[in-house]
Amino acid sequence: MTGLGVRSSSYGSLDKTSLYAVVLPIHTTTTTTTTTRTKPSKMHKERDGLLPWICKFAGRKKVGMLLLFLISAVVFLRVLYAGKGEDGQEVQVPPSLHFNGTSVVNHSVLLPTNEELNINNIPNISSPIHFLGYTLPQGHPCHTFTLPPPPADRKKTGPRPCPVCYLPVEEATALMPNAPSFSPLLKNLTYIHEEPLNREMEFGGSDFGGYPTLKHRNDSFDIKETMSVHCGFVKGPQPGRNTGFDIDEADLLEMKQCRGVVVASAVFDAFDDVKAPKNISKYSEETVCFYMFVDEGTETILKRERGLKGNKKVGIWRVVVVHNLPYLDGRRNGKVPKLLVHRMFPNARYSLWIDGKLELVVDPYQILERFLWRKNATFAISRHYRRFDVFVEAEANKAAGKYDNASIDFQVEFYKNEGLTPYSVAKLPITSDVPEGCVILREHVPISNLFTCLWFNEVDRFTSRDQISFSTVRDKIAAKTNWTVSMFLDCERRNFVVQRYHRAEQERIARRKPPMLPNLSPPPPPPPPLPAKPVLISNDLPRKVSGGRAAGTRPPRRRGRGRRSSPKGNRKAYLPIR
């Protein structure tokens, strides 16, 4: 088979038939084939004389019935064989993927390449092909990679990055799936457009996200094959066009052209500085869409400090100015591109969201390969480095003043009445109920799009602290399907993003006076030697005043025991010389 390069010593022999019951070309010699075409076989000669011999001893009607029986048997066996083939293709896999002469196998079945397939022989199959992941070869360094123990440094007890085994950029890009991942149960997802808005509901909601009732909320968790849900932008059919969170037409057209990977971030209210990604390959610069969403105030600062001009570029970022922001809170506005990126980039396949406070330091293809494609996941997020229980997270938010305490208590009590329980080992293999939501990796398939839509609806209805609502949405969807979220270590997240200070903190540090250092100056030098007695000339001599002493001279002091201090009344005045 050309182009697959599968090592038989590593993976064993390959099946010679595909899922479509199409015979794959295999490496065989063609000498015997040429011989069979030039010389008919002995069996062929005997078959030519068999039919007249049967007709000689049987009537024409009996011969016809015999032939009809044989044809029916052949058709029955063919249908039976095709039925078995369809049973084996409930979930289909794409062709095996390659990198640098080594192949990775999608389970144990391989499909032929386009050159090897005869299109005319493929039956018409309506179900699409889905990506099912892959496994690295046994000898690959990343296959046996394990995290080393944390360094024994008692001075550094906080969170820190840990090693991550990435593939080289060339290998990671070669492993980008050609087919979408499987979306369990949900196949078609559309979004509700309300005009005019119906504000008759129990509580929560907004003009941007709509006002779904609690019944609408419960129905949205009843996963079906076709669904229509609230997902922001409810005032218009096209996101960004008079819906709130409005975007210029030129930017919308550019965003529609992004058909592969998009890296998105946002800075509102000049809360952060725009940080330039590092270690980005040339291929990623040419194929990945880097979009930074800002408000008009942040745009002014970028023009003044970063030289933002008509090309709308700050480094690798394309800056998109958002008008008519739907919320007064800049952090809540940031949830729109964070959770609804699939609505803003309708043709993108994968997205990587990073908060504005983070600096990306690893190539996007390497990150997606490590945490999505290699794990066969459609949604990945890091878990919190310290907290894994929603109740503990809520108390921490209250203690830090992240949101109004009464609103946090109301939300947690609402979830508790729905069945939310503290995290325990009974929830395994789920390892945490609290994410570190500053980074999100996802594939834009219907089930992951539904998850972020419903997650956004919770943020719109309750508090903007998305860590509190994360597990409720995840568990409600998982109860109806076999889909769940992949949660990786927070130290792994810190490997590919670096957290920086917010803008206000940077300015505060800059204004802070440097600490006073102890006085370590050397001792003062010895006094200089006394100058030599000057020689006076006539013009320099002082004038005489009454009392007989020259003006500007002091009387000689007595030394020793006989020294006396004259009383104040006997002190003499001396006039300056002009």
Side-chain angles (χ1 to χ4, degrees):
M1 184 182 302
T2 61
L4 289 176
V6 179
R7 299 177 181 175
S8 59
S9 59
S10 300
Y11 300 101
S13 60
L14 303 177
D15 292 337
K16 296 181 179 61
T17 57
S18 70
L19 295 176
Y20 300 132
V22 178
V23 179
L24 301 183
I26 57 176
H27 289 292
T28 56
T29 58
T30 58
T31 55
T32 56
T33 305
T34 304
T35 304
T36 54
R37 290 181 179 179
T38 56
K39 182 179 179 180
S41 63
K42 182 177 180 181
M43 182 65 68
H44 181 71
K45 291 182 177 181
E46 293 176 355
R47 188 169 60 249
D48 291 340
L50 183 61
L51 185 59
W53 185 79
I54 294 176
C55 294
K56 182 177 180 181
F57 296 96
R60 293 180 179 269
K61 293 184 179 181
K62 293 183 178 181
V63 172
M65 293 296 296
L66 179 61
L67 291 176
L68 182 61
F69 172 79
L70 291 176
I71 293 173
S72 301
V74 171
V75 172
F76 175 78
L77 293 176
R78 179 61 178 175
V79 171
L80 181 63
Y81 180 76
K84 291 183 178 180
E86 291 177 354
D87 292 340
Q89 68 174 32
E90 291 181 359
V91 180
Q92 302 172 12
V93 295
S96 179
L97 304 173
H98 312 270
F99 52 91
N100 291 352
T102 308
S103 101
V104 286
V105 180
N106 293 302
H107 298 278
S108 60
V109 184
L110 299 175
L111 292 180
T113 60
N114 292 335
E115 292 80 4
E116 296 167 338
L117 271 176
N118 186 355
I119 305 299
N120 297 326
N121 294 332
I122 300 179
N124 185 13
I125 298 178
S126 59
S127 59
I129 296 177
H130 294 118
F131 173 69
L132 292 183
Y134 52 83
T135 55
L136 297 176
Q138 293 293 331
H140 197 283
C142 291
H143 185 77
T144 56
F145 177 80
T146 56
L147 282 176
D153 188 355
R154 297 182 179 179
K155 296 181 180 179
K156 297 181 179 180
T157 58
R160 67 187 75 187
C162 57
V164 176
C165 190
Y166 300 107
L167 296 184
V169 176
E170 296 78 9
E171 298 181 3
T173 54
L175 288 173
M176 183 175 180
N178 294 324
S181 297
F182 180 70
S183 178
L185 195 57
L186 177 62
K187 306 303 179 186
N188 303 304
L189 180 64
T190 57
Y191 310 107
I192 293 176
H193 165 220
E194 293 184 5
E195 191 177 6
L197 287 173
N198 181 14
R199 295 181 174 86
E200 296 181 2
M201 48 92 68
E202 293 82 0
F203 61 90
S206 67
D207 287 354
F208 176 77
Y211 299 90
T213 64
L214 291 180
K215 182 181 183 305
H216 289 152
R217 177 180 178 271
N218 294 334
D219 292 341
S220 65
F221 289 112
D222 185 14
I223 314 300
K224 301 176 182 177
E225 184 174 352
T226 299
M227 297 182 64
S228 183
V229 298
H230 287 81
C231 195
F233 304 101
V234 296
K235 292 192 294 184
Q238 298 293 330
R241 291 188 177 96
N242 301 319
T243 58
F245 208 88
D246 295 336
I247 299 174
D248 294 339
E249 193 67 27
D251 293 324
L252 289 175
L253 294 177
E254 285 292 329
M255 292 161 63
K256 282 188 176 181
Q257 300 304 316
C258 185
R259 301 182 180 276
V261 177
V262 57
V263 178
S265 186
V267 174
F268 297 116
D269 298 334
F271 199 66
D272 294 287
D273 286 329
V274 175
K275 301 165 184 64
K278 297 180 180 178
N279 305 316
I280 306 300
S281 65
K282 186 67 175 177
Y283 183 77
S284 293
E285 291 181 1
E286 297 173 350
T287 59
V288 176
C289 306
F290 290 85
Y291 275 81
M292 175 68 66
F293 297 92
V294 301
D295 58 354
E296 295 171 356
T298 307
E299 178 195 20
T300 302
I301 295 178
L302 291 177
K303 288 181 177 180
R304 182 177 67 246
E305 298 181 358
R306 302 294 294 274
L308 178 64
K309 298 181 180 179
N311 62 353
K312 302 182 178 182
K313 299 280 286 188
V314 173
I316 199 173
W317 293 109
R318 178 183 175 91
V319 178
V320 175
V321 181
V322 181
H323 311 281
N324 190 22
L325 291 172
Y327 305 105
L328 298 177
D329 182 10
R331 293 186 177 182
R332 191 183 287 271
N333 287 321
K335 299 299 187 292
V336 176
K338 176 179 179 177
L339 300 179
L340 306 184
V341 63
H342 64 284
R343 297 216 61 191
M344 302 168 66
F345 296 87
N347 298 318
R349 296 184 58 199
Y350 300 94
S351 63
L352 167 58
W353 164 264
I354 59 174
D355 276 3
K357 64 183 178 182
L358 300 180
E359 177 185 1
L360 184 65
V361 295
V362 175
D363 191 88
Y365 285 107
Q366 293 178 294
I367 300 172
L368 292 172
E369 189 282 325
R370 170 61 182 82
F371 297 102
L372 278 189
W373 306 335
R374 199 187 304 177
K375 295 292 185 179
N376 191 21
T378 57
F379 193 100
I381 193 171
S382 65
R383 57 179 185 251
H384 198 277
Y385 72 96
R386 179 180 296 172
R387 297 185 289 273
F388 45 86
D389 183 88
V390 175
F391 297 93
V392 178
E393 175 67 17
E395 292 301 320
N397 278 263
K398 291 162 58 178
K402 298 289 187 180
Y403 208 85
D404 176 65
N405 289 0
S407 300
I408 294 178
D409 291 337
F410 176 81
Q411 182 177 7
V412 172
E413 189 66 23
F414 185 91
Y415 291 158
K416 186 178 178 180
N417 293 333
E418 285 192 326
L420 177 66
T421 59
Y423 180 82
S424 65
V425 294
K427 291 189 176 183
L428 291 174
I430 295 175
T431 56
S432 177
D433 283 345
V434 180
E436 186 64 60
C438 55
V439 171
I440 294 178
L441 312 171
R442 52 180 295 206
E443 180 182 0
H444 297 182
V445 293
I447 192 66
S448 66
N449 294 342
L450 175 68
F451 171 73
T452 53
C453 285
L454 302 186
W455 191 8
F456 177 83
N457 292 343
E458 297 297 292
V459 171
D460 193 44
R461 180 185 292 270
F462 296 101
T463 70
S464 61
R465 307 306 299 171
D466 50 20
Q467 296 96 330
I468 298 177
S469 53
F470 166 80
S471 64
T472 294
V473 180
R474 177 201 63 189
D475 295 345
K476 285 180 176 293
I477 293 180
K480 297 289 185 178
T481 67
N482 60 350
W483 181 87
T484 189
V485 173
S486 175
M487 301 189 73
F488 53 91
L489 297 176
D490 181 69
C491 69
E492 295 176 312
R493 174 191 65 83
R494 294 176 184 270
N495 181 281
F496 61 85
V497 290
V498 178
Q499 184 167 330
R500 303 299 185 187
Y501 289 112
H502 294 300
R503 186 180 183 88
E505 295 172 344
Q506 295 178 9
E507 295 175 352
R508 191 182 308 116
I509 293 174
R511 291 193 304 264
R512 191 182 304 166
K513 294 182 179 181
M516 296 297 295
L517 297 176
N519 188 10
L520 301 177
S521 58
L530 295 175
K533 221 174 199 184
V535 179
L536 298 178
I537 58 177
S538 59
N539 295 334
D540 296 329
L541 293 176
R543 292 181 302 168
K544 293 287 184 78
V545 293
S546 62
R549 295 195 180 274
T553 62
R554 298 179 61 183
R557 295 181 180 180
R558 294 184 180 182
R559 299 181 181 273
R561 298 179 181 178
R563 179 179 179 182
R564 293 182 303 174
S565 59
S566 61
K568 293 183 179 180
N570 296 331
R571 291 181 180 177
K572 297 181 179 180
Y574 297 93
L575 298 178
I577 300 175
R578 293 184 180 178

